[in-house]
């Protein structure tokens, strides 16, 4: 069965600092990968998804970017964090097609 | 544009009650509908997936139904327990775009001992 790893689990960063969150998956090949953000008291917001290496679709224009350098690795980055980037970041995967979506444990990011 | 709505936003019940959570969607052209559970500070856990051709799915004390023509799904929880306390979210994969889920905002459930 598939497993999703995210790190770090928690992160406190000053405004204007860079960000790199990593997601790696096991137990599956060629998955669709997703980055979501969940702000306090709000729903899930899809940020990026990827259907293959180097293929990134952006859902929300902002100061974040994503990359998929390997089939089972998905990275979320920012050059300069904003206060509004605070939230709970979740990595998820589905198999090919409209499949069950599986989630990682999440990263809690606080920007001060 | 597909929109998913969940009612109620919050629900508090005594232990042992049977309860129903509601999910509605505006476009009936879906591949499937999925129900998830999220505990505070945790990732989401998939509970049930109903294909568009199916009417219901069951897992233990959980039963999810789908009425695609009316754009509705219900999640039935039998004999609720305090351990069922969590936020329950539903989401749909649109037909023609099976790459991303469209999410509701969730129902926050508290089951009181």
């Amino acid at each position: 069965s598939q497993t999703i790893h995210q790190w770090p689990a928690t992160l406190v960063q000053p405004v204007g600092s860079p960000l790199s969150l990593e997601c790696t998956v096991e137990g599956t090949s060629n998955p669709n990968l997703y980055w979501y953000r969940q702000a306090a008291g709000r729903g899930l917001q899809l940020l990026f998804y990827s259907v293959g290496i180097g293929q990134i679709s952006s859902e929300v224009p902002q100061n974040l970017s994503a990359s998929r350098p390997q089939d089972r690795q998905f990275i979320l980055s920012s050059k300069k964090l904003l206060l509004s980037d605070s939230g709970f970041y979740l990595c998820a995967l589905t198999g090919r097609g409209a499949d069950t979506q599986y989630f990682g444990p999440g990263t809690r990011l606080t920007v001060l | 544009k597909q929109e998913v709505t969940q009612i109620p936003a919050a629900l508090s019940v005594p232990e042992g009650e049977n309860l129903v959570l509601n999910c509605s969607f505006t476009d009936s052209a879906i591949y499937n509908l999925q129900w998830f559970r999220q505990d505070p500070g945790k990732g989401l856990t998939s509970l049930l997936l109903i294909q568009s051709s199916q009417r219901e799915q069951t897992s233990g004390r959980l039963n999810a139904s789908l009425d695609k023509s009316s754009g509705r799904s219900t999640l039935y929880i039998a004999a609720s327990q305090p351990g069922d306390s969590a936020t329950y979210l539903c989401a749909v994969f649109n037909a023609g775009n099976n790459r991303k889920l469209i999410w509701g905002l969730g129902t926050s459930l508290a089951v009181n001992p």
Side-chain angles (χ1 to χ4, degrees), chain B residues 67-106:
Chain B
D67 184 342
K68 198 174 67 166
S69 61
S70 67
R72 294 183 180 182
S73 176
T74 60
L75 180 66
Y76 176 82
I77 303 177
S80 59
Q81 303 171 359
D84 295 329
S85 298
T87 297
Y88 291 81
L89 297 100
C90 74
V92 300
F93 265 120
N94 281 345
N97 181 356
N98 61 352
R99 295 177 175 180
K100 56 182 181 179
L101 285 163
I102 309 300
W103 294 86
L105 294 180

Side-chain angles (χ1 to χ4, degrees), chain A residues 32 34 36 38 42-44 46 49 51 57 59 88 90 94 96-106 108, chain B residues 31-32 34 36 38-46 48-49 51 89 93-94 97-101 103-105:
Chain A
N32 292 339
Y34 303 80
Y36 290 94
Q38 205 172 25
R42 301 180 65 180
L44 275 174
L46 179 62
Y49 68 92
V51 300
S57 295
E59 290 294 301
F88 191 47
L90 289 159
T94 63
R96 287 303 169 188
D99 202 352
T100 298
Q101 191 148 101
Y102 297 94
F103 284 79
R108 174 76 59 191
Chain B
Y31 273 127
N32 62 47
Q34 303 187 28
F36 296 83
Q38 186 177 27
D39 293 291
K42 305 290 186 181
L44 281 71
T45 300
S46 176
L48 291 165
L49 182 153
Q51 300 292 354
L89 297 100
F93 265 120
N94 281 345
N97 181 356
N98 61 352
R99 295 177 175 180
K100 56 182 181 179
L101 285 163
W103 294 86
L105 294 180

